[in-house]
Amino acid sequence: MENILEETKSIMKQNGIRANKSLGQNFLINKDVLESIVNSSEISKDDMVIEIGPGLGTLTKYLLEKAGEVLCIEIDSKMIKILNNRFNQYENFEIINEDVLKVDLNNIISEKKRQGKVKNVKIVANLPYYITTPIIMKLLEDKLDIESITVMIQKEVAERLIAVPGEKETGAITYTVYYYCESEKIMEVPNSSFIPEPEVTSEVIKMELRSKPAVEIENPKIMFMIIKSAFMQRRKTLLNALTNTKVFLSKEEGLEILKKLNLGENIRAENLSIQDFCNIAKIIIEKSK
Ligand code: SAM
C-alpha cells in the first residue's frame, strides 16, 4: 500500500491534480484490492479489457500486463494527459476521452472482433459512484458481446445488484442483472483503500454474462416495464402498484391474473421471482394480441 500511496501522491503533485468529487474521483491505493480485482477478472492475452474511468492509471497498469488490449474510457482530460505519458510505451494501450454513457461500445467491440484482434471482451472498473446504475444498465441493455463485468461500486448498490430476486431487499435493477448475469461478491473494500476516502463502504462484484437469459420471454422489454412499474410504488401491494400504473387495466383484471399465477392479492413487488414477472408479462402480452 505504501508504494502505491506514494506513487499516487507524487503523480497528483507533479500534475497539479486534486481529486474531482463531482466526477467521483477516489483513487485506489490498496495493492491487495487491485490484485483481487485483476485476479477475479481472469484476464488473459486473448482478452480486450475495457476499463471505465482509469483515473491516474493505477489499475490500468495491472491490466496492461495481463490483457491483450486495454481500452480506457475517461471523461477527464487532465487524466488523459497523465495516462498517455504513463503508458505510451505499451502497444496494447488505447484511450478514449469521452463520457462512457455516450460511447458506442457495441460498435467498438464488433470492430475489434471483426479485425480478429480480440477473442473476448471483459469490463473492469473502479466505477464513479455517482453514475453506477446508468453505467451498469447501459452495459447490460446494450447487449454487448462481452464475457464479464468486474466492478468496484458502493456496497449498498452492490448488494442490490447481486441479490437473488424475490429473496432479499431488491430493486428493479436486481431483476435486470439477474436476467442477463450470474453474479457474485468478490470482496468488501474499506474506505481507507482510496485517496481521498469515499464516504461509503465499497465492494467488488463480478457479473458473468449468461449464455441464455434467466427466463425465456419473446419481449423482455415488456417484462422490464412491468418490473419498473411494480417497483415505482414498492410500498404498495403489487396489485395496487400495477393497477395505478395501468399495467392492469382494472383491479379485477389484476386479481384474476394474480389468482391464475397463484400469487396472493397482498403480495409486494420484492416478493416476486423473475419467473413470476415473466409469467405476468406473458399474460399481458397475450391479452394485448
Ligand atoms: N480507476 C481509478 C482508480 O481506481 O484509482 C479511478 C477510479 S475513480 C473512482 C472514477 C473515475 O471515473 C475517475 O477517473 C473519473 O474521472 C472517471 N469518470 C467519471 N465520470 C465518468 C464518465 N461519465 N465517463 C468516463 N469516466 C468517468
Side-chain angles (χ1 to χ4, degrees), residues 28-265:
L28 242 180
I29 49 161
N30 185 328
K31 191 164 184 271
D32 294 340
V33 177
L34 285 156
E35 285 175 353
S36 169
I37 294 176
V38 175
N39 292 337
S40 58
S41 318
E42 299 179 277
I43 304 162
S44 79
K45 289 285 169 194
D46 283 336
D47 298 329
M48 170 167 84
V49 170
I50 300 180
E51 187 191 4
I52 301 165
L56 303 168
T58 315
L59 176 59
T60 320
K61 197 168 145 192
Y62 285 75
L63 299 173
L64 285 165
E65 299 298 337
K66 295 259 179 177
E69 287 200 36
V70 178
L71 172 67
C72 294
I73 303 171
E74 171 60 61
I75 198 168
D76 186 351
S77 47
K78 286 190 190 149
M79 300 295 148
I80 301 291
K81 198 176 137 236
I82 296 171
L83 292 160
N84 274 328
N85 281 339
R86 255 188 114 171
F87 303 126
N88 60 10
Q89 79 277 21
Y90 285 87
E91 280 183 10
N92 56 348
F93 170 71
E94 213 179 307
I95 191 153
I96 298 177
N97 185 192
E98 182 59 281
D99 174 351
V100 66
L101 296 177
K102 294 188 183 150
V103 177
D104 184 347
L105 291 171
N106 255 325
N107 191 28
I108 293 173
I109 293 170
S110 57
E111 188 55 24
K112 290 277 179 193
K113 288 206 168 180
R114 197 188 56 77
Q115 292 167 355
K117 286 191 178 165
V118 289
K119 264 197 190 159
N120 312 309
V121 178
K122 292 169 180 166
I123 311 264
V124 181
N126 170 17
L127 285 180
Y129 294 176
Y130 75 105
I131 44 166
T132 301
T133 305
I135 293 177
I136 301 285
M137 290 302 281
K138 174 188 164 80
L139 297 178
L140 297 176
E141 288 183 336
D142 283 1
K143 298 194 181 61
L144 305 176
D145 185 6
I146 57 176
E147 278 206 340
S148 62
I149 305 169
T150 306
V151 281
M152 167 109 69
I153 55 178
Q154 182 179 340
K155 181 175 180 236
E156 285 72 22
V157 180
E159 300 205 331
R160 199 167 340 120
L161 294 191
I162 65 171
V164 175
E167 283 187 3
K168 245 180 146 187
E169 179 92 345
T170 53
I173 196 171
T174 313
Y175 293 80
T176 309
V177 173
Y178 191 82
Y179 178 75
Y180 290 110
C181 308
E182 275 184 86
S183 43
E184 61 172 322
K185 169 178 171 175
I186 303 297
M187 72 183 297
E188 195 170 307
V189 180
N191 302 19
S192 58
S193 301
F194 307 85
I195 53 164
E197 288 193 17
E199 277 145 25
V200 293
T201 309
S202 304
E203 203 165 289
V204 179
I205 59 169
K206 180 173 184 185
M207 294 167 270
E208 285 192 71
L209 278 286
R210 296 178 189 274
S211 51
K212 242 175 41 186
V215 290
E216 243 178 84
I217 180 156
E218 64 181 293
N219 193 339
K221 273 194 181 155
I222 296 198
M223 179 178 74
F224 288 123
M225 179 275 291
I226 296 173
I227 293 172
K228 274 180 197 150
S229 304
F231 276 90
M232 258 194 296
Q233 306 190 332
R234 60 180 303 152
R235 309 242 167 270
K236 298 210 156 87
T237 62
L238 180 79
L239 179 62
N240 283 338
L242 293 189
T243 307
N244 292 346
T245 51
K246 311 252 183 305
V247 172
F248 296 151
L249 296 179
S250 65
K251 232 176 177 167
E252 290 65 42
E253 184 193 78
L255 275 170
E256 181 204 313
I257 293 174
L258 294 186
K259 199 166 167 208
K260 202 168 176 181
L261 298 174
N262 280 327
L263 297 170
E265 61 184 86

